[in-house]
Amino acid sequence: MNTYGKFAQEAWKTTAPAEYALIPDPVQWFEALGEEAAQRVGELMMELAGPDPAGEAYLEKVGRLNASKMQAEEIVRAEMLTPDPSVQQEPEEDEEESGVTQMLRVVEQINREDRAYWDEVARQEAEQD
């Protein structure tokens, strides 16, 4: 299982355990999801990176490609790898969150902010057209 599949599996176990329990073969399901996510990250990364600008230096290209990969991974995590917010369960008041759960909370917040940013960009672009 690749890192995307592992991330998704842990996210579902932690934030949507009832729905996770309904998956007949979680290992197979998250392996397939991880492969699909990896393919989508690759496609989206190239879209976000765009064509090579004329005169771009090697290190500039590496930076541009790395930035587009990180952005693509954020988008894929939000769209494909985390459960829908409507099925996510909040931890009990006295239940202590693990490090992974805390990380997922941060990722969820970043994803919400990222979605809001891109929605605003799309709205502004639509107004300009």
Side-chain angles (χ1 to χ4, degrees):
M1 184 179 310
N2 65 22
T3 57
Y4 301 117
K6 289 176 186 174
F7 175 88
Q9 187 173 26
E10 190 61 35
W12 280 75
K13 275 184 191 177
T14 305
T15 61
E19 283 70 22
Y20 179 85
L22 298 174
I23 300 171
D25 185 356
V27 172
Q28 180 184 15
W29 197 82
F30 286 104
E31 281 179 359
L33 180 61
E35 292 301 318
E36 185 180 341
Q39 182 177 353
R40 180 66 182 132
V41 165
E43 294 167 356
L44 189 55
M45 178 186 121
M46 297 313 293
E47 287 176 33
L48 294 169
D52 295 347
E56 180 179 45
Y58 172 76
L59 290 178
E60 290 171 329
K61 181 173 183 170
V62 169
R64 179 173 54 85
L65 293 176
N66 282 339
S68 66
K69 181 178 182 188
M70 289 189 303
Q71 187 178 8
E73 287 178 333
E74 276 187 42
I75 292 167
V76 169
R77 272 191 206 102
E79 292 177 352
M80 295 178 67
L81 303 180
T82 54
D84 186 84
S86 65
V87 299
Q88 292 181 14
Q89 298 175 354
E90 293 295 323
E92 297 295 323
E93 289 292 325
D94 58 345
E95 184 179 324
E96 188 174 316
E97 290 187 340
S98 69
V100 172
T101 304
Q102 291 172 355
M103 181 188 76
L104 285 170
R105 298 274 179 242
V106 171
V107 168
E108 290 168 0
Q109 179 62 32
I110 290 169
N111 287 339
R112 281 191 293 275
E113 291 170 3
D114 189 57
R115 274 190 230 119
Y117 171 80
W118 287 110
D119 288 346
E120 179 64 19
V121 167
R123 186 189 63 74
Q124 289 177 359
E125 287 177 350
E127 287 178 357
Q128 291 176 355
D129 293 337

